[in-house]
Amino acid sequence: MLYGLIKNHPWVGGNKRTATTLAELFLNRNGFEITASIPTLIELVLAIEADRWQVDEIDLWMRRHCEQIGG
C-alpha cells in the first residue's frame, strides 16, 4: 500500500505524507505499530520515491521496524 500510494501520485500534493499516515493507520488498526525513528521512516519513503526500494525491500523493512501492539 505504501509503495502504491507513493509511486502512483493519487493526490496533487502530499503523496508521501498521506501514504505514510495511511500505512501507519492501517498497521495500527491491524495491531501493529512502526517503531522506527522519524528520520529512518523518512529514509524509507524517500528510497521508495527514488525507485531505490521495491516491495520486497519495503516488506523486509516493515518486518524489522514494526511490532505488535501490546505484544
Side-chain angles (χ1 to χ4, degrees):
M1 178 172 77
L2 182 64
Y3 177 86
L5 291 172
I6 290 173
K7 297 305 292 179
N8 292 311
H9 303 283
W11 302 283
V12 173
N15 289 287
K16 293 184 296 292
R17 288 185 304 265
T18 304
T20 303
T21 299
L22 290 173
E24 192 164 19
L25 181 61
F26 174 83
L27 287 167
N28 290 160
R29 289 191 177 191
N30 286 281
F32 291 89
E33 64 182 347
I34 297 174
T35 57
S37 66
I38 298 297
T40 302
L41 185 57
I42 291 170
E43 287 177 25
L44 166 70
V45 170
L46 294 176
I48 295 168
E49 181 185 41
D51 288 326
R52 293 191 314 262
W53 283 24
Q54 300 297 315
V55 174
D56 290 338
E57 291 90 0
I58 298 163
D59 176 55
L60 288 173
W61 189 97
M62 288 289 183
R63 291 178 186 277
R64 292 182 184 138
H65 293 93
C66 291
E67 291 182 1
Q68 193 165 15
I69 296 172

